[in-house]
Amino acid sequence: MVQFYSPNRRSVNRGIISVTADNLDAQGQGIARHQGKTIFIPGLLPDEQAQIQLTEEKRQFAKARVVKRLSDSPHRVVPRCPHFKACGGCQQQHVATELQVNTKASVLERLIQRETGISVSAHPIIRSPEYGYRRRARLGLQYHAKQRSLLMGFRQSQSNDLVNIKHCPVMRPELEQLLQPLYQCLSGLHGVKRLGHVELVLADSGPLVVLRHLDPLKPEDKETLRIFSVQYNVAIYLLGDEKSLEPLMAGNVAPWYQVDGLKLVFSPQDFIQVNDVVNQQMVSQALAWLDLQPTDRVLDLFCGMGNFTLPIATKVQATVGVEGVAELVASGQYNAQLNKLNNVDFFHENLESDIHQQPWAAQGFNKVLLDPARAGAAGVMAHIVKLAPEKVVYVSCNPTTLARDSKVLLEAGYHLVGVRMLDMFPHTGHLESMALFSREPIGIE
């Protein structure tokens, strides 16, 4: 029989080995060393000894599972959520909060040091409540014909299978208490087999639900949802396709939230920051770092619906926000009028394309804020350098692209004078941060 050589095929030692973890990564995985190789082990904490079995082996690292834990770290805590071991939404509820946040801050500091050669502190950390912080959550819906039952929940780790969620302590309590009655309501619909997902959002104006349905709902199903809406004082929106959002009941008040004393109205499909407590602190920190003055002209790139843009506008001569999603630009323009801010312009432009011909690019600015997606802001960094602003605040959801983009500013002579770790998503592997760059070497608190 012909055998084919595969250069990428590596055998995995399935034997049991004993290790002691000496560190934790940002994802909450224990890190151990064995025979010169780094091993990542979900569920193991620093200083814990365990018998493990390798599940994947590469040239420089391996992954493993715990077969038997032989000791417990003082940083190990009892997860509050009964679904923790099955649900893929959280990865670190077994880790004490202080270890979680300090690990993420250390990971951020080491990454910046490695990529830029600059030693910085990510403290003080912008903190979140340990639980009850999430004001937005999307849950999948699946109907199982054999069991004749609906599943509503988050996906298992590395799986498309849903975990039926009855409790979720990271949600705001106002949303968590809706889970079981909402499940009962949806389970009783005639169209239960053709539901896609459901999204729960807590606005300052009250809770709302967006229900994605794949087929038109029957009148009796809409009536069932209306009764639920009145009984639980929840605004319900129906999403028959990805673009058509229909309020179930006439007279629904458009949802809104407050930031820095301003009222921002948004569509249920608009992006808003999931963690309101951290968002308020993040905006306040950005405004303080920019040291806004009445004569400033400020550019806000990847501005969304104006979460930073509008608070900035209350303190400066002029602000420009640039965003690639037309619906968010429309929300920003509406909220500028709502808050009587006449010194704000929003532009709908693709910041990943050639920006030099875009109308905003011909204007001058002395301060810049940017809040890009995970891919970072490679397409605009050269233009920011060309503007030569006094200060740049970079808000990041990916420390790798933050470090990469930072090098453009550093090579242009800017100083990295401040970094903060944002505890936006406790108990998860997400690492959010913000950094301040200045043309002059300044000290910050």
Side-chain angles (χ1 to χ4, degrees):
M1 183 173 67
V2 177
Q3 294 189 355
F4 295 94
Y5 169 69
S6 174
N8 295 322
R9 186 181 299 161
R10 297 181 63 85
S11 63
V12 178
N13 178 7
R14 297 296 182 182
I16 305 299
I17 60 177
S18 293
V19 298
T20 300
D22 58 20
N23 210 334
L24 197 69
D25 73 359
Q27 306 299 317
Q29 299 179 113
I31 302 174
R33 273 82 183 177
H34 181 73
Q35 296 181 347
K37 181 170 289 188
T38 300
I39 307 175
F40 296 94
I41 313 156
L44 198 63
L45 301 185
D47 300 323
E48 290 184 337
Q49 186 179 13
Q51 293 177 339
I52 65 169
Q53 185 176 48
L54 298 186
T55 57
E56 182 180 345
E57 190 167 10
K58 303 290 186 182
R59 188 176 301 278
Q60 295 182 333
F61 70 92
K63 297 181 180 180
R65 67 177 184 89
V66 174
V67 175
K68 183 179 180 180
R69 194 169 66 248
L70 304 175
S71 63
D72 284 345
S73 163
H75 297 292
R76 180 173 290 279
V77 297
V78 177
R80 187 177 297 185
C81 180
H83 308 294
F84 172 64
K85 289 186 178 180
C87 177
C90 293
Q91 300 83 44
Q92 301 189 39
Q93 285 194 24
H94 64 297
V95 185
T97 299
E98 287 306 308
L99 180 58
Q100 287 187 41
V101 297
N102 287 327
T103 296
K104 290 182 181 180
S106 296
V107 168
L108 177 63
E109 291 165 357
R110 288 197 301 270
L111 180 60
I112 291 176
Q113 167 74 34
R114 186 184 73 202
E115 295 298 320
T116 69
I118 297 175
S119 178
V120 294
S121 170
H123 293 73
I125 294 165
I126 293 183
R127 305 296 293 260
S128 166
E130 186 176 0
Y131 286 96
Y133 66 84
R134 178 176 277 275
R135 64 175 173 181
R136 184 169 210 146
R138 175 183 288 195
L139 295 93
L141 298 172
Q142 288 179 353
Y143 184 79
H144 279 208
K146 288 185 178 180
Q147 289 83 11
R148 296 184 179 180
S149 64
L150 177 71
L151 292 180
M152 182 180 84
F154 301 113
R155 307 208 179 276
Q156 297 179 24
S157 177
Q158 299 180 336
S159 170
N160 287 324
D161 295 334
L162 291 182
V163 177
N164 209 29
I165 295 295
K166 295 182 178 179
H167 302 280
C168 183
V170 298
M171 284 188 190
R172 289 283 297 269
E174 299 94 325
L175 297 182
E176 187 189 20
Q177 67 188 15
L178 290 174
L179 288 175
Q180 294 195 51
L182 178 61
Y183 173 79
Q184 294 297 329
C185 175
L186 297 180
S187 294
L189 298 182
H190 294 284
V192 64
K193 298 178 183 179
R194 296 289 292 164
L195 301 178
H197 64 256
V198 63
E199 192 159 9
L200 285 73
V201 183
L202 183 64
D204 289 2
S205 49
L208 61 100
V209 167
V210 178
L211 177 62
R212 173 81 169 99
H213 54 96
L214 306 179
D215 292 337
L217 293 178
K218 295 180 180 295
E220 50 266 43
D221 281 349
K222 289 188 176 183
E223 182 58 27
T224 298
L225 291 167
R226 285 192 187 95
I227 292 171
F228 179 89
S229 175
V230 172
Q231 182 178 358
Y232 291 94
N233 194 28
V234 178
I236 296 182
Y237 296 81
L238 303 178
L239 188 60
D241 59 52
E242 292 298 338
K243 296 182 180 179
S244 176
L245 192 68
E246 171 194 354
L248 182 67
M249 299 174 66
N252 276 356
V253 175
W256 53 270
Y257 73 92
Q258 288 187 309
V259 61
D260 200 47
L262 301 177
K263 178 179 178 180
L264 272 63
V265 172
F266 63 96
S267 162
Q269 292 180 283
D270 283 349
F271 170 81
I272 63 170
Q273 292 288 354
V274 162
N275 190 324
D276 180 54
V277 172
V278 171
N279 184 54
Q280 300 288 343
Q281 297 177 76
M282 176 177 68
V283 172
S284 178
Q285 180 68 81
L287 269 58
W289 271 357
L290 287 170
D291 188 25
L292 299 170
Q293 303 299 322
T295 55
D296 285 341
R297 289 181 51 82
V298 183
L299 174 64
D300 182 6
L301 298 171
F302 311 93
C303 68
M305 57 179 282
N307 186 60
F308 291 101
T309 325
L310 299 175
I312 288 171
T314 64
K315 298 172 171 46
V316 301
Q317 178 186 352
T319 309
V320 166
V322 188
E323 168 59 44
V325 179
E327 292 80 6
L328 293 176
V329 170
S331 292
Q333 292 168 333
Y334 176 85
N335 283 308
Q337 296 173 359
L338 179 68
N339 290 281
K340 297 181 171 56
L341 296 171
N342 302 316
N343 60 339
V344 187
D345 288 316
F346 286 91
F347 291 87
H348 174 218
E349 299 288 350
N350 180 4
L351 290 171
E352 296 178 357
S353 66
D354 183 6
I355 65 173
H356 301 294
Q357 302 304 315
Q358 297 176 8
W360 65 270
Q363 301 184 36
F365 305 93
N366 67 316
K367 292 173 183 176
V368 173
L369 182 141
L370 63 161
D371 184 8
R374 291 189 59 80
V380 300
M381 297 309 297
H383 188 74
I384 292 175
V385 169
K386 181 181 176 182
L387 289 170
E390 301 163 22
K391 293 183 175 64
V392 177
V393 170
Y394 191 130
V395 181
S396 169
C397 60
N398 183 350
T400 301
T401 50
L402 168 64
R404 179 200 69 197
D405 295 341
S406 295
K407 289 190 280 191
V408 178
L409 294 171
L410 296 171
E411 289 168 2
Y414 279 82
H415 302 269
L416 176 56
V417 294
V419 175
R420 294 284 185 272
M421 201 285 282
L422 310 174
D423 192 22
M424 187 73 79
F425 298 98
H427 310 301
T428 78
H430 294 289
L431 202 171
E432 313 267 327
S433 60
M434 58 194 301
L436 170 64
F437 300 86
S438 174
R439 277 205 322 235
E440 303 298 329
I442 59 174
I444 63 168
E445 295 181 0

